[in-house]
Amino acid sequence: MRILIANDDGYLAPGIAALVRACQGLGHIDVIAPEQNASGTSNALTLTRPLSVFEARGEQVQGFRVVNGTPSDCVHVALTGLLDQRPDIVFSGINNGANMGDDTLYSGTVAAAMEGFLFGIPAIAFSQVDKGWAHLDAAAAAARAIIDQVLADGLPAAPFLLNVNIPNRPDAATRPRRVTRLGRRHASEPVIRQHSPRGDPIYWIGPAGDAREAGEGTDFHAAAQGEVSITPLQVDLTDHASRPAWAARLARPAPV
Ligand code: MN
């Protein structure tokens, strides 16, 4: 078994070290992670400059390889030239904070896993619901328990993409699990306008909105119950239901 592990919080984040420790004994592990915190970079690839890869130094990051790019860059470079052999599965995380509902569109954690999935490799993204790394070892144990069960029957022929959010609790590994759908958030809070020391206006993107659709069956609902949320994701953004209506309105040019 060959495992590729990436994240979006950067190679020095405690979450990726915990996930790597949790995966010990499963097989060969390659860790390839961004140099900087790249949260919120979604599926971005770096196309305007070359990427560098270096070996990390330090006890917690022994053997990690570091890319001065995005989470998707890490997995993309790994799969298209850096690794000698194709991994059997890709893990991403453990992220510092939830990736639920609309977050999944912006998340670098989900994107790193999705990059593997786009290459036909099964992938799982792991996040802790609350920021701050409380009960990180329990989250890592929860991740390992899920991984063991995913692998128990052998990997299915078709690749999959799972988005896992783990509550920050000491008993995370034994909490009930829910297979959920994505909820929805309200629009983000307004941008925060300040002035630079040189007097120019600067803008901070505001925080994400609160959950808007958080009913039973959603990832938000599971997290609110202190359960582990597991959402199977797909990549097709097509609005299949509205295609006939749009075809009726727009498929024929208006007569001049
Ligand atoms: Mn992050």
Side-chain angles (χ1 to χ4, degrees), residues 22-251:
C23 288
Q24 292 305 320
L26 284 174
H28 177 85
I29 301 173
D30 285 295
V31 182
I32 303 179
E35 182 175 19
Q36 307 277 341
N37 188 328
S39 298
T41 55
S42 190
N43 298 80
L45 291 176
T46 300
L47 304 178
T48 53
R49 60 174 174 82
L51 296 165
S52 299
V53 182
F54 66 90
E55 191 112 340
R57 296 276 173 80
E59 201 179 321
Q60 297 294 315
V61 295
Q62 197 66 45
F64 290 17
R65 276 175 284 184
V66 182
V67 175
N68 62 341
T70 66
S72 294
D73 285 335
C74 294
V75 175
H76 194 95
V77 167
L79 298 182
T80 58
L82 194 56
L83 296 182
D84 295 331
Q85 292 182 50
R86 181 181 165 94
D88 299 296
I89 195 160
V90 175
F91 300 137
S92 179
I94 298 170
N95 189 58
N96 184 21
N99 278 306
M100 300 189 291
D102 307 355
D103 304 338
T104 51
L105 291 173
Y106 298 95
S107 166
T109 304
V110 173
M114 191 181 290
E115 192 69 12
F117 178 68
L118 291 172
F119 277 82
I121 299 169
I124 310 178
F126 295 101
S127 304
Q128 279 194 296
V129 169
D130 296 317
K131 286 182 190 282
W133 308 117
H135 307 299
L136 178 59
D137 287 339
R144 173 61 188 258
I146 290 168
I147 291 166
D148 283 341
Q149 272 177 269
V150 165
L151 299 177
D153 304 322
L155 289 172
F160 55 83
L161 175 58
L162 299 180
N163 183 42
V164 178
N165 284 278
I166 302 167
N168 299 56
R169 300 171 53 122
D171 58 351
T174 54
R175 291 295 298 160
R177 299 184 193 143
R178 297 278 171 224
V179 175
T180 54
R181 62 187 160 85
L182 299 179
R184 295 293 308 274
R185 285 191 187 276
H186 286 286
S188 296
E189 300 290 315
V191 73
I192 295 160
R193 184 184 159 118
Q194 298 175 334
H195 283 91
S196 77
R198 277 146 313 271
D200 300 317
I202 54 172
Y203 300 89
W204 283 100
I205 298 287
D210 288 333
R212 172 162 63 87
E213 191 199 331
E216 186 120 26
T218 65
D219 45 6
F220 290 114
H221 190 268
Q225 314 301 311
E227 298 169 345
V228 177
S229 168
I230 303 174
T231 312
L233 299 181
Q234 59 185 5
V235 173
D236 181 4
L237 294 177
T238 309
D239 181 359
H240 293 278
S242 76
R243 278 182 60 216
W246 283 111
R249 282 177 68 183
L250 297 176

